[in-house]
Amino acid sequence: MKLLVAFSSALALATAASIATPPRPAKKSYDGYKVFRVAVGPEINRINALVDKYDLKTWKGAPRAGAYADIVVPPAQAAAFRADVADLEVITMHQDLGAAIADESSFSVYAAGSANATWFNSYHAYSDHLQFLRDLQSSFPSQSEIVTAGNSLNGNPITAIHFWGSAGKGVKPAIVLHGTVHAREWISTMVVEYLGYNLLTNYATSAEIKSFVDKYDFYIFPVVNPDGFLYTQSSDRLWRKNRQSTSGSTCIGHDINRNWPYQWSVTGGASTDPCAEDFKGRAQSDAPETTALVAWLKTTKANQGLKLFIDYHSYSQLFMTPYGYSCTTVSAKNTELQALAKGAVAAIKATHGLTYQYGPICSTIYKATGSSVDFVNDVVGSDYTFTTELRDTGNNGFVLPASQIVPTGEETYAALRYLLLNMK
Ligand code: 0X9
Ligand code: ZN
């Protein structure tokens, strides 16, 4: 009865609020949209011309010769585009992107107080992610706390669960796992939560996990770009950046993974166009999310040391090391980092048989300036720094079926476990 009362007054409030608030623009429909993967060879200029002609979005940066271009095509242009690339190797990643999004967005209802493994059977609303973290924390009240690294532009707290082992809070070096920098990379949210959940809930029963949590303090940030993530759920599933405006432009969003204050001015690894998906911002660290995380990481490092930082993204199945800003400069401990990355991808393969490639960001994926990894490696000074691109390699891309959350979590844990066992 109490529940019913609470529900109906919440409904009354919601109704009142909806009368007072102007109508929100409808969520962007991707019904009938196709996603084509085109193998780009010497035809690079032709592919670029088609992207311009039909004003198409690409999922993994601008098309490059020798790589696949994953291209989103609205229904009205699909037949013409397909005919234009009829002589090339083309895979249809999504026959109907809207249908895949609808399927993925059937979130299961989360009842507060029920943080258990069924959480990982579907994707979830942002408010439920916060509730799940609070519930997990209250299941381990003497061993964990909720922390925030500061607020996003729109005032959403950048939230983590922090947990520790037998030595108590804040005395061991930190391990920071960081997801959903890019709003549409939903698998990274779930996987970062999976890693935290696995470590915390198995502490009492697994001697190995106890040894990890006794050795390090874990800070698990499933969503470092909450404004963007909320926007993917309210308005456009494929939004990538934060929700910041730029004077002189009507385009919204700065790419947080091009905004970190280190080697930010290097050219060729980010865009200066506010409308681009990889817009670097007008100045380094001008995104509030970057500023907050920079300060928090520096403080955490000063207080307790920083052993390991991993920034989780999707998709492409890559396990990468510094640097993004240069393809010729390598980290001082590159040999050791490559050996660890090699072991991590072997551990991934041993879990469900999937192949991940590894290597420095710039030579493995593309040049990216102002990325978190370069900053954390060189400026904050983490002992070990990695970033991954999770599943898949191009069947589903950003819209990965919920049935893959648990297996992706399992193989990603295997990689983390390898690092925890082998870092010096
Ligand atoms: O462009 C990026 O920031 C990364 N690819 S993504 O599709 N996830 O946006 C690649 C840059 C490498 N850096 C990290 N993965 N952190
Ligand atoms: Zn990303």
Side-chain angles (χ1 to χ4, degrees), residues 59 201 339 362 396 401 407:
W59 269 1
T201 61
C362 186
N396 299 280

Side-chain angles (χ1 to χ4, degrees), residues 59-61 178 181-182 184-185 240 255-258 269 277-278 309-316 318 320-321 323-324 360-362 365-369 371-374 386-390 398:
W59 269 1
K60 280 281 163 174
H178 179 272
V181 170
H182 292 138
R184 62 192 173 188
E185 296 166 12
R240 165 183 168 98
D255 184 347
I256 299 170
N257 208 33
R258 298 292 184 281
E277 295 282 25
D278 61 344
F309 172 90
I310 310 182
D311 188 3
Y312 290 87
H313 291 245
S314 74
Y315 59 95
S316 295
L318 305 171
M320 296 180 287
T321 63
Y323 293 108
I361 293 167
C362 186
I365 182 163
Y366 42 65
K367 184 170 176 177
T369 51
S371 84
S372 62
V373 164
D374 295 356
F386 299 93
T387 179
T388 90
E389 300 281 340
L390 300 169
F398 297 121

Side-chain angles (χ1 to χ4, degrees), residues 106-283:
S106 55
F107 304 153
S108 56
V109 176
Y110 180 69
S114 63
N116 60 50
T118 64
W119 172 258
F120 301 100
N121 294 339
S122 82
Y123 294 98
H124 296 278
Y126 180 64
S127 57
D128 284 348
H129 282 285
L130 295 179
Q131 187 62 44
F132 174 82
L133 291 182
R134 285 194 291 265
D135 290 345
L136 192 57
Q137 190 284 320
S138 50
S139 306
F140 299 92
S142 60
Q143 204 186 342
S144 67
E145 64 180 356
I146 298 291
V147 297
T148 70
N151 284 348
S152 68
L153 178 76
N154 293 336
N156 291 299
I158 300 172
T159 307
I161 181 165
H162 167 208
F163 52 87
W164 53 85
S166 55
K169 169 177 143 181
V171 289
K172 298 287 183 177
I175 291 186
V176 177
L177 309 181
H178 179 272
T180 331
V181 170
H182 292 138
R184 62 192 173 188
E185 296 166 12
W186 285 10
I187 187 61
S188 72
T189 324
M190 298 305 301
V191 161
V192 168
E193 280 169 355
Y194 182 94
L195 300 173
Y197 180 87
N198 193 42
L199 290 164
L200 194 48
T201 61
N202 291 309
Y203 178 83
T205 52
S206 160
E208 181 179 275
I209 285 180
K210 183 175 187 309
S211 75
F212 296 153
V213 180
D214 285 347
K215 195 168 176 187
Y216 305 113
D217 271 28
F218 287 83
Y219 292 89
I220 307 289
F221 285 93
V223 184
V224 300
N225 176 12
D227 299 353
F229 187 68
L230 278 162
Y231 194 76
T232 64
Q233 300 198 326
S234 65
S235 307
D236 184 349
R237 172 66 185 86
L238 295 179
W239 188 259
R240 165 183 168 98
K241 299 182 279 182
N242 73 0
R243 293 294 302 158
Q244 190 167 2
S245 57
T246 301
S247 64
S249 172
T250 54
C251 288
I252 301 289
H254 295 200
D255 184 347
I256 299 170
N257 208 33
R258 298 292 184 281
N259 192 244
W260 291 74
Y262 181 61
Q263 305 286 0
W264 179 87
S265 306
V266 171
T267 55
S271 178
T272 54
D273 173 2
C275 300
E277 295 282 25
D278 61 344
F279 175 49
K280 56 167 39 185
R282 285 280 191 242

